Amino acid sequence: MSRSRRVCAGVHDTVTAARAVVAELGSPDRLLELIAELASGEGDPAACAELSYRHVLGFDKLLLIDGGPRHMLRAHIWHPGATAIGTEDIHNHRSPLASYVVRGRLAMELYEARGDGGITADRYEESLAERGADWRLRPTGPARLRLTHTGQYAAGSAYALPAHTLHRAWCDTDVPTVTLFLETGAARRRHTDVFTAAGPHPGAVAKVPLEVREYLGALNGLAESLRSS
């Protein structure tokens, strides 16, 4: 088997396994038990709060389990009608991922880069600042993208994506959507690709971590929403 085929097979195995894991962890009773435990202050809430924040794409990221370089488990809370600098951005990720929709519904579009046709967008390379956690965006010129897939993911469904897959997702209901997100850390890239048709982006966007009380309050709110689901 050629190296490229071995790499593709390895990525496929990773995303398949990640999808199965996140679907198991996202079962209502199991997830509620984990969230309630963390909301009570178990674990290391200060460290988790430091890596929890409002994402530039407009949703809240709450770190649940920090598995070091191999995996990180987060809860994402998507707000209907959210506006942020990167809300409309099409992007990929640093490593393979899997996500499970706990409540609500997500809409998603998949894209591929192409030389002509499709939509025109500005392309950026996104990376993290060396001496901080801010997002850095380096413009790399115009690009064209073609829409290849549209879909909806309701509560109880899961999806997994290789790192290079270009996509855009948003809350597709009038109530918040909650997803469980597993970042595998396998073959982690140094940067991601971001495409926008909404005008130029600033060169850097601050990543503001939550205070511990904000983090615990968000977890308590999430637990209450899961109990009422």
Side-chain angles (χ1 to χ4, degrees):
M1 181 184 294
S2 68
R3 182 179 184 278
S4 61
R5 288 186 177 181
R6 289 197 302 271
V7 170
C8 288
V11 170
H12 178 268
D13 291 345
T14 297
V15 296
T16 300
R19 179 173 176 171
V21 168
V22 80
E24 180 180 352
L25 294 176
S27 61
D29 291 343
R30 188 163 187 175
L31 181 59
L32 178 57
E33 181 180 2
L34 173 62
I35 298 295
E37 181 178 304
L38 294 174
S40 71
E42 290 293 325
D44 191 345
C48 287
E50 184 67 23
L51 295 174
S52 300
Y53 47 88
R54 170 64 62 89
H55 196 276
V56 68
L57 297 179
F59 56 87
D60 297 331
K61 292 175 73 89
L62 302 177
L63 179 62
L64 305 180
I65 297 175
D66 183 356
R70 297 303 302 170
H71 61 267
M72 298 185 81
L73 183 70
R74 302 178 187 267
H76 289 180
I77 305 173
W78 304 72
H79 304 282
T83 58
I85 292 174
T87 303
E88 300 296 322
D89 286 354
I90 298 161
H91 63 283
N92 52 29
H93 286 259
R94 287 180 173 79
S95 59
L97 63 95
S99 186
Y100 179 83
V101 182
V102 178
R103 62 173 299 182
R105 186 175 65 224
L106 281 187
M108 183 179 293
E109 297 172 341
L110 302 183
Y111 290 84
E112 66 177 11
R114 55 177 300 158
D116 57 4
I119 64 172
T120 301
D122 295 317
R123 180 178 179 272
Y124 295 81
E125 280 192 358
E126 177 272 332
S127 60
L128 296 177
E130 294 180 2
R131 297 184 179 276
D134 292 354
W135 291 285
R136 297 186 305 183
L137 293 162
R138 183 175 71 87
T140 58
R144 301 194 74 86
L145 301 175
R146 183 174 73 91
L147 177 66
T148 61
H149 173 78
T150 60
Q152 291 179 322
Y153 296 87
S157 59
Y159 62 87
L161 299 173
H164 286 86
T165 302
L166 294 171
H167 63 285
R168 183 172 78 90
W170 65 94
C171 179
D172 194 36
T173 67
D174 57 1
V175 296
T177 290
V178 177
T179 61
L180 192 62
F181 182 89
L182 179 62
E183 184 180 35
T184 66
R188 190 172 179 84
R189 303 165 62 209
R190 294 182 62 86
H191 71 271
T192 66
D193 304 295
V194 175
F195 298 83
T196 181
H201 278 335
V205 179
K207 183 186 291 187
V208 182
L210 296 181
E211 299 288 343
V212 174
R213 60 178 179 78
E214 294 174 317
Y215 172 72
L216 294 176
L219 288 177
N220 275 297
L222 178 55
E224 286 302 315
S225 71
L226 294 177
R227 292 188 184 99
S228 63
S229 295

